[in-house]
Amino acid sequence: MGAIIMTGQKNRYSTQESLCGIGDKQFATPKHDELVLILLNKDYCKSKITTLANVNNAKFIIESEVPILTSNRFIIGYWDLVVTEVGWMPKAYIECEPYIESFGATLRQLNTYKEFLDRDGCDKVYLFTPDLRFKDAFESQNVKVISP
């Protein structure tokens, strides 16, 4: 019988996000799901995302839980929603947070995600949250804050 070789590798499918400790602990909560589900409605999403103002509803799609990949296809996290005009580049990358536990931790998460966008995409990052305590601070860092 062949020998079993132990590699010491625990979970090779872990995300960089969880390894670095920048993960979003709220993503598995009912409130988080509620925010995501609200924005899956095209009319509602269009009313909140200014870059969609002149786009026909039939001409854009909303994808949920979109992986953010490094060049070697390692997952570093997930955008809660990506809104794309059919045939064009994405119009919005959206992170949903029911509550901002820490401004710094949330900003680190978003800045990490932004590292994997092209320059044009970095101007299309939105934070969808009912917690508006840090709205001005996020917007000063080029993160548009929208609320339900």
Side-chain angles (χ1 to χ4, degrees), residues 13-23 70 74-77 112 116:
Y13 299 106
S14 291
T15 63
Q16 183 70 22
E17 178 182 79
S18 65
L19 295 173
C20 294
I22 60 168
T70 63
F74 191 75
I75 297 172
I76 62 115
T112 300
F116 296 89

Side-chain angles (χ1 to χ4, degrees), residues 32-58:
H32 178 271
D33 288 349
E34 184 181 317
L35 291 174
V36 170
L37 291 170
I38 287 170
L39 283 179
L40 284 175
N41 176 299
K42 282 187 171 185
D43 290 325
Y44 187 83
C45 188
K46 187 175 177 179
S47 74
K48 293 292 182 177
I49 308 297
T50 56
T51 55
L52 296 175
N54 298 320
V55 179
N56 179 318
N57 281 4

Side-chain angles (χ1 to χ4, degrees), residues 14-112:
S14 291
T15 63
Q16 183 70 22
E17 178 182 79
S18 65
L19 295 173
C20 294
I22 60 168
D24 183 356
K25 295 169 186 66
Q26 299 180 51
F27 78 93
T29 66
K31 283 287 190 192
H32 178 271
D33 288 349
E34 184 181 317
L35 291 174
V36 170
L37 291 170
I38 287 170
L39 283 179
L40 284 175
N41 176 299
K42 282 187 171 185
D43 290 325
Y44 187 83
C45 188
K46 187 175 177 179
S47 74
K48 293 292 182 177
I49 308 297
T50 56
T51 55
L52 296 175
N54 298 320
V55 179
N56 179 318
N57 281 4
K59 294 192 178 190
F60 72 92
I61 57 171
I62 304 170
E63 296 175 280
S64 183
E65 300 304 329
V66 178
I68 303 163
L69 304 170
T70 63
S71 59
N72 62 352
R73 312 235 357 113
F74 191 75
I75 297 172
I76 62 115
Y78 296 83
W79 286 110
D80 288 321
L81 297 152
V82 175
V83 182
T84 306
E85 186 175 358
V86 176
W88 296 91
M89 299 295 287
K91 294 286 188 180
Y93 300 89
I94 305 168
E95 180 63 25
C96 297
E97 294 287 343
Y99 177 77
I100 307 299
E101 192 170 319
S102 164
F103 167 74
T106 304
L107 186 61
R108 274 190 298 279
Q109 177 185 357
L110 291 169
N111 281 340
T112 300

